[in-house]
Every structure is written in C-alpha cells, then in structure tokens.
C-alpha cells in the first residue's frame, strides 16, 4: 500500500501534517458544499446549508465554525455507574446526572468520520452525563432528555484521536483531553468493531457488538444535541455538537456486546467509575455532525440541589 502524501499546515503555534489534496489542504475550513455533495459517500448537504459558517478567533488562530462532518457513524455504550464514583472524577463545578438515587450515567462513544472538513479520522470518548451548569436539581425533563439523547450535557474524561490535526484542534482549540494513537473504528449495519492501541503497540480498549436494527429518518427529521464542558485558559466553556441522524437503532440492556479493557488511559477511566452494567447500545450508521467552537460560560460554583440560579 502506497503511503499517503501529506502537506504541512499551521494551527496557531503548531504545525501538523494533513493529506495532500484532501479537503483541508484544498479549502481549509471553508469547504465548498457543492464539491462535497459530489462525493458518493455524502448523503446530501441540506443540513449544512442551514448552518452558515462564521469566522472567529480562537487559540489555534482565525478559523471558521462550525466544523462539518459530512459522512459519519457513531456507536455509544451507555453504562450505569455509582454517583459517588462519577462525582470523584468531576470538577467541583459539575454534578452527575442521576437516573436514580446513587446511580448515574457513564458513556463510551466510538466515532468514524469518513468525510469531514479536517479529513478522515476516528476517535473514542469516555464521558460522564452531567446536569447543565448553573441549573437546579434533577428534573424529569433533564432525565428524559439524557436518555433520549436529544440534548445531553457531558464532561469528557478522555478522547484519543487518530490524526494530528484532530488532536491539535480538539486540545488547543476546544480544551478536550485528546492525544494521538492508532484507533480502528468500523461501524456497519451488521456490527461494530473498535480497537484502540497504546503508543507501545499494546491494547488499551476493544469493543465488538451487533448493530441494532436501523431506522431510517428523512433529511432534517432528527437532529440531536450534545453540550460538553471544558476549561480553556482557566475559564469554563461549553461546546455544542449537533448530530443529524439519518439511520440509527438502539438496544436496551444488550447481550451481544463484548467490551474488553486493556492497559491504557481509556481503560483506566472506565475502571475508575466502576460501571455496573450496560444500559443501552446506540448505533448510528449514517449521521452528519456540526461541531461549534466553544463559548465562554459562567460556572463559579457547583449547582445546589433544589435551587435555581
């Protein structure tokens, strides 16, 4: 197999390699939607036409937001974990979202981005579902939204990626705990398979699972949201991610899931919260995503039970 030819680009104070002739090499973050629409892997661009990009300053220099993912697939394992363990991994300003007294939600997410502004890459995330910053006690709306994944709020513990540009943009620009490592993610209508390696070639984490039956959605019929909280330069920020779902399915208390922990940062994060069981497996075989740049948010103190601020 012929090695991929790359070219150098600068992001802030850092230089990274990207595929020569790829979308980022040709367009930066101002991709021509008409050109993208010609890619047979892309199921249309209507979603992106409804989200015009704007130019902003950022820690990685001037850029355009949102970052567009034109053809993506996602698998998410939702696990139950003790609230005390989850709270021990959260900053003081955040509180776990509970589905029952003493029980919260921990997620493992696997992403494959076949076509996006910064070219093909894969990533895996561990995260804790949290109450919205500066929000009151747990209410029915919070819980329903979290379980339906219509608008989840999360704190990311770890987020390895497979390319340099994804690491620099994600770490320097968004404040996410990203590092580069070999990551295989394969998501089809039949199954999910992922292998995350360590720098020394050992295994950090592996997943195999059967894909739940997929329901197809009309364009723009289903758009879910995720708000992630990070610190950038000592200040809290919220990052909005919108997912345009085109084909997805869910299995509750799935039996055909094989999650194997190895030795590495991802596995350490899973063990640290002592998950008790898998609540659901959500697999989206066709999706498009818009990732907005972080926005500053006030988070001086942790939310207090039974109060509104």
């Amino acid at each position: 197999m012929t090695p991929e030819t790359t070219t150098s680009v600068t992001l802030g104070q850092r230089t990274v390699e990207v595929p020569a002739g790829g979308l980022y090499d040709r367009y930066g973050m101002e991709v021509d939607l008409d050109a993208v629409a010609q890619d047979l892997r892309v199921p249309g661009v209507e979603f992106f036409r409804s989200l015009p990009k704007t130019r902003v300053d950022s820690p990685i220099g001037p850029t355009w937001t949102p970052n567009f993912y034109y053809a993506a697939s996602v698998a998410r394992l939702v696990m139950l974990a003790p609230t005390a363990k989850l709270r021990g991994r959260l900053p003081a300003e955040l509180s776990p979202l509970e589905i029952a007294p003493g029980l919260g939600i921990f997620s493992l997410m696997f992403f494959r981005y076949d076509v996006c502004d910064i070219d093909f890459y894969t990533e895996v995330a561990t995260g804790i579902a949290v109450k919205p910053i500066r929000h009151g006690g747990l209410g029915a709306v919070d819980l329903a939204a979290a379980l339906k994944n219509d608008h989840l709020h999360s704190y990311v513990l770890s987020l390895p990626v497979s390319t340099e540009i994804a690491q620099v943009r994600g770490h320097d620009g968004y404040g996410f705990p990203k590092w580069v490592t070999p990551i295989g993610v394969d998501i089809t209508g039949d199954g999910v398979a992922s292998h995350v390696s360590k720098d020394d070639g050992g295994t950090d984490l592996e997943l195999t699972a059967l894909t739940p039956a997929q329901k197809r959605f009309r364009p723009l019929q289903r758009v879910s949201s995720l708000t992630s909280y990070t610190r950038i330069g000592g200040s809290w920020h919220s990052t909005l991610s919108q997912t345009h779902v085109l084909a997805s399915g869910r299995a509750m208390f799935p039996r055909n899931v094989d999650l194997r922990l190895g030795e590495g940062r991802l596995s350490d994060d899973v063990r640290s919260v002592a998950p008790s069981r898998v609540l659901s497996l959500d697999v989206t075989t066709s999706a498009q995503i818009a990732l907005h740049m972080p926005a500053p948010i006030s988070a001086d103190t942790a939310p207090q039970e039974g109060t509104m601020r």
Side-chain angles (χ1 to χ4, degrees):
M1 183 175 180
T2 303
E4 186 177 65
T5 303
T6 62
T7 187
S8 299
V9 298
T10 300
L11 300 174
Q13 303 299 313
R14 301 177 65 178
T15 299
V16 300
E17 297 296 313
V18 299
L23 286 183
Y24 195 84
D25 181 28
R26 285 183 286 158
Y27 300 109
M29 296 297 293
E30 296 181 88
V31 175
D32 181 351
L33 290 181
D34 291 331
V36 170
Q38 302 306 309
D39 192 319
L40 296 179
R41 297 171 295 176
V42 176
V45 294
E46 296 88 349
F47 173 61
F48 304 104
R49 294 195 192 282
S50 68
L51 295 169
K53 291 197 178 196
T54 57
R55 189 176 186 274
V56 297
D57 292 325
S58 76
I60 53 174
T63 189
W64 291 82
T65 185
N67 187 9
F68 287 160
Y69 300 80
Y70 307 99
S73 50
V74 185
R76 180 171 70 114
L77 275 180
V78 176
M79 294 178 278
L80 304 179
T83 302
K85 291 287 188 179
L86 297 173
R87 185 173 286 113
R89 294 301 314 274
L90 291 173
E93 294 87 349
L94 300 177
S95 295
L97 178 68
E98 290 188 308
I99 66 169
L103 202 60
I105 298 174
F106 177 77
S107 294
L108 258 172
M109 299 188 72
F110 303 80
F111 301 87
R112 179 185 174 98
Y113 306 120
D114 285 296
V115 184
C116 74
D117 286 342
I118 59 174
D119 301 299
F120 171 83
Y121 73 99
T122 53
E123 65 182 355
V124 177
T126 62
I128 298 171
V130 299
K131 300 175 186 177
I133 279 184
R134 306 188 71 79
H135 186 63
L138 173 63
V141 173
D142 295 325
L143 182 56
L147 295 180
K148 287 176 62 180
N149 198 28
D150 285 336
H151 197 156
L152 188 70
H153 292 251
S154 176
Y155 180 76
V156 176
L157 299 181
S158 46
L159 190 54
V161 295
S162 62
T163 65
E164 286 186 289
I165 187 170
Q167 191 275 331
V168 172
R169 285 184 58 85
H171 181 273
D172 296 4
Y174 292 82
F176 289 123
K178 292 195 174 188
W179 69 94
V180 179
T181 196
I183 301 173
V185 176
D186 188 26
I187 299 173
T188 70
D190 295 322
V192 177
S194 180
H195 181 275
V196 183
S197 300
K198 299 190 299 178
D199 290 339
D200 62 8
T203 297
D204 187 341
L205 181 144
E206 285 185 318
L207 172 73
T208 57
L210 294 181
T211 296
Q214 296 290 286
K215 177 181 178 180
R216 300 204 65 84
F217 297 89
R218 298 186 309 274
L220 305 180
Q221 178 183 353
R222 182 181 174 191
V223 178
S224 62
S225 300
L226 172 70
T227 296
S228 300
Y229 297 116
T230 56
R231 280 197 184 102
I232 302 175
S235 300
W236 279 100
H237 288 68
S238 64
T239 297
L240 174 66
S241 175
Q242 297 169 284
T243 300
H244 178 215
V245 179
L246 295 169
S248 185
R250 167 177 293 173
M252 297 299 297
F253 302 106
R255 296 180 180 180
N256 299 304
V257 173
D258 184 9
L259 177 64
R260 300 188 179 187
L261 303 183
E263 300 297 331
R265 293 171 62 178
L266 280 175
S267 290
D268 288 346
D269 283 336
V270 175
R271 292 188 181 99
S272 72
V273 299
S276 57
R277 69 177 304 180
V278 177
L279 175 64
S280 66
L281 169 66
D282 297 272
V283 178
T284 301
T285 56
S286 181
Q288 299 177 316
I289 300 171
L291 179 65
H292 298 256
M293 289 297 293
I297 185 172
S298 174
D300 297 329
T301 58
Q304 298 298 312
E305 297 295 333
T307 64
M308 293 294 291
R309 296 188 178 187

